[in-house]
Amino acid sequence: MSMFWIHLKKEMLEAARSYKWIWVPAVFLLLGVMQPVMMYYLPDILMMSGDLPPEAAALIKVPPPEEVLASTLSQFSTIGLLVLVLSGMNTVAGERSNGTAELVLPRMSSVLPMMIAKWTAMMSLLIVSFVLGYAGSAYYTSQLIGALEWGPMLRAGVFYVAWLAWIVTLVLPLGAVLRGPAAAFIALGTAAALTMLASLLPSHLLWSPGRLSAIATEWLTGGDPSAWAPAVSAICLIALSTAAAALLLKRRPLSPQV
């Protein structure tokens, strides 16, 4: 347990020195605040632009608050996810490339505490960034457009965090055998593939963790989907990815990266 806290402190310090605790939450906050503000003023902007006839611009209405918050999640699914993966792509790959693994691993009886510490640091940054952006979006949505129901909003947020978490965790085992950019590319590609397959074959992939983002959106817009199977799959995938990263790093600390 002491090794876990030592490595966790190291990861938190490195994140602070690289300003991740500033720019990653700032991106999420900006995305979260911009979406309701843009949706609220969009009809006025279109009318002032003069590109649309007044009659056509008048038909564009401000969507309900639940749809605005759901559109914020779609922003997190693209730009936000990209930022999270890029910020974590060198968590393991960087230590292999700069020689830190060569110095540290021979002195450790188990790599798992170090890997759990890395995962904990990544999840801390993810949760803080998401909560900040999600809360900012909810606040401006309620102020500009309308009130939100707390129950569906909180449930959607929890399962959306689970969707982000399993994708970001993939960079750990991938980073143990690949360079950081390659690990990020494959993690994002895997997430896109599973999410797309879950939307194309919903009846066959009820268990897929790729469904969690769509489930979060359904909850916000008034649906009541079952999310326990995808959530359990995401938790299992996170645990397996973390354990696999520790095993791969222990076996291949000095292997050339591709």
Side-chain angles (χ1 to χ4, degrees), residues 26-244:
V27 169
F28 272 80
L29 181 60
L30 183 63
L31 291 174
V33 170
M34 283 180 57
Q35 193 66 19
V37 172
M38 184 184 68
M39 299 299 289
Y40 180 75
Y41 288 107
L42 182 60
D44 295 334
I45 294 173
L46 292 175
M47 292 185 67
M48 294 174 61
S49 66
D51 295 333
L52 288 177
E55 296 80 6
L59 296 176
I60 301 176
K61 303 295 183 181
V62 178
E66 294 80 10
E67 293 185 10
V68 174
L69 197 58
S71 66
T72 301
L73 293 184
S74 68
Q75 294 293 322
F76 292 163
S77 299
T78 52
I79 302 175
L81 178 60
L82 178 63
V83 168
L84 287 172
V85 171
L86 292 179
S87 69
M89 67 181 184
N90 285 319
T91 301
V92 175
E95 295 202 350
R96 296 183 67 236
S97 62
N98 61 22
T100 304
E102 180 181 357
L103 297 174
V104 174
L105 293 181
R107 297 175 174 84
M108 298 179 61
S109 58
S110 175
V111 186
L112 190 59
M114 181 183 74
M115 201 59 61
I116 295 176
K118 290 180 178 294
W119 180 83
T120 303
M122 292 171 59
M123 292 303 106
S124 299
L125 180 61
L126 184 156
I127 292 172
V128 169
S129 301
F130 174 79
V131 169
L132 192 61
Y134 197 53
S137 179
Y139 174 78
Y140 277 93
T141 298
S142 61
Q143 292 295 316
L144 296 176
I145 300 174
L148 292 162
E149 295 186 20
W150 284 95
M153 186 182 73
L154 292 177
R155 287 197 298 270
V158 168
F159 283 94
Y160 191 82
V161 166
W163 182 76
L164 291 174
W166 74 262
I167 299 171
V168 175
T169 305
L170 289 178
V171 302
L172 294 179
L174 292 171
V177 294
L178 301 171
R179 294 187 183 275
F185 178 79
I186 294 177
L188 291 172
T190 302
L194 286 179
T195 303
M196 183 178 298
L197 286 174
S199 63
L200 294 176
L201 303 170
S203 60
H204 298 282
L205 295 173
L206 295 175
W207 52 268
S208 174
R211 294 185 60 239
L212 288 172
S213 61
I215 288 172
T217 301
E218 288 184 42
W219 259 329
L220 284 175
T221 54
D224 189 21
S226 176
W228 295 112
V232 171
S233 298
I235 293 172
C236 293
L237 185 58
I238 289 171
L240 289 174
S241 297
T242 306

